[in-house]
Amino acid sequence: PAFARDGSLDPATRSRFDRVLDAVADCGLVAILDLFTPGQAARLADEAAFRRATDQGSRWLLDRGDENVIVNVCQATGTRTHSHAVLQPERINELARQIHDASLGGRRLLVGASMPDGVIPSGTVADVLFSPPTFGRGSLTFRRAIDALRNTSA
């Protein structure tokens, strides 16, 4: 796991991700890093641990100085696999804002959010994203996706 139960960043995991992100950059690719996967999220103790993990993950990435990394707050917010309230669509903007507001030398991280099929994020989420949110692969038709993006941007 990337984070301990209290939200502190695991040094061994950070070292592995450093090697992966270096290789991705060497290849000229973009990395999308899910801060919280369902398995990882289940290991964290409480909301304070999520906030600590968000802060430590953001600081680590800012210190690296990468310009090819998108931080996806969590994999499919709002699904049953995320039982913590702060990972639900109504509140995911709080962690997205925390990542967005972190800065180092005027640099900020690119923030993304993946939503489950059919869930349209609130404007508070869309305000901090570097681009329109991504949606699941299943139930949104092209027309509904376009309408959802328009509503999010409005």
Side-chain angles (χ1 to χ4, degrees):
F3 300 105
R5 190 159 167 69
D6 70 352
S8 57
L9 186 57
D10 175 62
T13 302
R14 186 182 71 207
S15 178
R16 283 192 302 277
F17 273 105
D18 280 334
R19 291 191 302 275
V20 169
L21 292 175
D22 289 344
V24 168
D26 289 346
C27 292
L29 300 173
V30 172
I32 300 175
L33 187 127
D34 289 325
L35 199 56
F36 303 113
T37 63
Q40 177 64 63
R43 291 183 185 97
L44 294 177
D46 54 21
E47 187 169 319
F50 280 94
R51 295 190 183 282
R52 185 176 301 109
T54 300
D55 182 59
Q56 289 196 4
S58 297
R59 291 284 153 218
W60 162 62
L61 290 168
L62 284 166
D63 286 343
R64 282 185 50 82
D66 296 312
E67 294 182 4
N68 66 322
V69 176
I70 300 167
V71 181
N72 187 46
V73 181
C74 77
Q75 213 175 56
T77 181
T79 60
R80 287 184 219 177
T81 56
H82 291 303
S83 60
H84 291 279
V86 76
L87 296 181
Q88 299 306 309
E90 306 79 42
R91 292 195 53 208
I92 197 66
N93 64 298
E94 296 171 30
L95 297 179
R97 171 70 59 195
Q98 187 177 339
I99 296 165
H100 175 269
D101 289 350
S103 67
L104 179 65
R107 288 185 302 102
R108 295 188 184 278
L109 298 168
L110 299 175
V111 184
S114 60
M115 299 290 173
D117 293 339
V119 173
I120 299 171
S122 69
T124 56
V125 174
D127 287 345
V128 298
L129 302 180
F130 80 98
S131 71
T134 56
F135 296 93
R137 290 178 242 145
S139 64
L140 278 181
T141 64
F142 179 74
R143 174 71 358 221
R144 282 188 63 214
I146 296 299
D147 291 343
L149 291 174
R150 283 192 182 124
N151 289 335
T152 300
S153 302

